[in-house]
Amino acid sequence: MTDSVFQNMRSFLELGGPVVAILLVLSVFAVALILLKLVQFWRERVGFHGAAQRALHLWVHGNYGDARQVADADPSAVGSALAAAMRLSMTRSVPKGVVEDEVERIAVGRLHDLQRGFRALDAIAQISPLLGLFGTVLGMIEAFQQLQGAGNAVDPSILAGGIWVALLTTAAGLAVAMPVSLVLTWFETRMENERVAIETLTTSFFSQHALGEIRAASPRAEPSVAALTGASHAH
């Protein structure tokens, strides 16, 4: 069975020529890159925000130690940004602006690492149909050259065979470009969701942290007039 597969692939390459060979190399590279990105997304827990939300919940309710442990154990970009915000916010000497800048730096760096390879996939999705069209044009030129050389003894089967072989490269280019474009769109959607999650959770953290500082700094409430009056009557 393996020999038949290789035989079919060889005949396919012979029919399509060098353009199909280039498209085959691009497809192998695209598949390898997609698999690497899927492994990276799974390892860095892209799209899984439960741990970060739990850490924020613990922090809001005053469980600072547990919140930091949960955030530090989260390998996602959201967890890293939130862990940095918690760590720096517990240091009173660090201004809020510096904390926000550091969190933004960490988030941008993590997102940039996750987006590596997107440009290569985008280039493959764009150039594959162009390569297929280029191969079709070359095949049509060759077919019409054979038609011209045949003179009056034109065999329509030869012309038809040359045309369908030429169109084969366009089909191969589209077959490579369409799935790569769909997968790239899915990757970009996941990255946009990750970016929104980082902005939402870190903004919520800074808001809750600022509210906590305001409550801690506010003076205790003055005793009411009624309470003072009741106390004087008691004496």
Side-chain angles (χ1 to χ4, degrees):
M1 183 177 179
T2 305
D3 294 337
S4 62
V5 171
F6 281 113
Q7 187 66 30
N8 292 333
M9 187 176 296
R10 176 182 292 181
S11 61
F12 183 73
L13 290 174
E14 289 176 355
L15 285 173
V19 173
V20 171
I22 294 173
L23 289 172
L24 180 62
V25 173
L26 289 178
S27 66
V28 172
F29 178 75
V31 170
L33 187 55
I34 288 171
L35 292 177
L36 287 174
K37 297 307 295 182
L38 287 174
V39 172
Q40 183 186 16
F41 274 35
W42 174 255
R43 188 178 64 246
E44 300 192 23
R45 309 297 292 169
V46 174
F48 297 92
H49 308 139
Q53 292 172 351
R54 188 165 63 254
L56 180 60
H57 178 78
L58 291 171
W59 182 275
V60 170
H61 288 80
N63 301 322
Y64 302 128
D66 294 339
R68 286 197 58 184
Q69 287 182 358
V70 173
D72 289 335
D74 186 5
S76 68
V78 181
S80 298
L82 200 57
M86 292 177 179
R87 182 178 67 254
L88 294 174
S89 295
M90 295 184 73
T91 305
R92 300 294 181 181
S93 60
V94 180
K96 181 183 177 182
V98 175
V99 176
E100 291 179 347
D101 291 341
E102 180 65 14
V103 171
E104 182 180 0
R105 183 191 66 81
I106 293 174
V108 169
R110 291 294 300 273
L111 292 175
H112 178 72
D113 290 339
L114 290 171
Q115 287 178 320
R116 285 181 179 175
F118 283 14
R119 288 186 178 274
L121 291 176
D122 183 58
I124 292 173
Q126 291 188 22
I127 200 173
S128 294
L130 296 177
L131 279 173
L133 182 61
F134 178 65
T136 296
V137 172
L138 293 179
M140 295 292 287
I141 291 173
E142 183 178 355
F144 281 108
Q145 281 180 342
Q146 292 178 358
L147 180 63
Q148 182 183 13
N152 294 328
V154 176
D155 187 358
S157 63
I158 296 178
L159 180 61
I163 291 176
W164 82 259
V165 169
L167 292 174
L168 182 66
T169 59
T170 297
L174 293 174
V176 173
M178 288 187 292
V180 172
S181 180
L182 287 175
V183 173
L184 179 59
T185 301
W186 183 76
F187 280 154
E188 290 175 343
T189 302
R190 297 295 297 271
M191 289 303 304
E192 182 63 24
N193 293 339
E194 197 75 3
R195 184 179 294 106
V196 170
I198 292 175
E199 293 177 357
T200 302
L201 289 178
T202 54
T203 301
S204 178
F205 169 81
F206 286 123
S207 299
Q208 295 294 335
H209 187 69
L211 288 174
E213 289 183 343
I214 291 174
R215 294 193 194 101
S218 62
R220 294 183 178 180
E222 295 291 337
S224 63
V225 175
L228 291 175
T229 305
S232 61
H233 285 316
H235 290 291

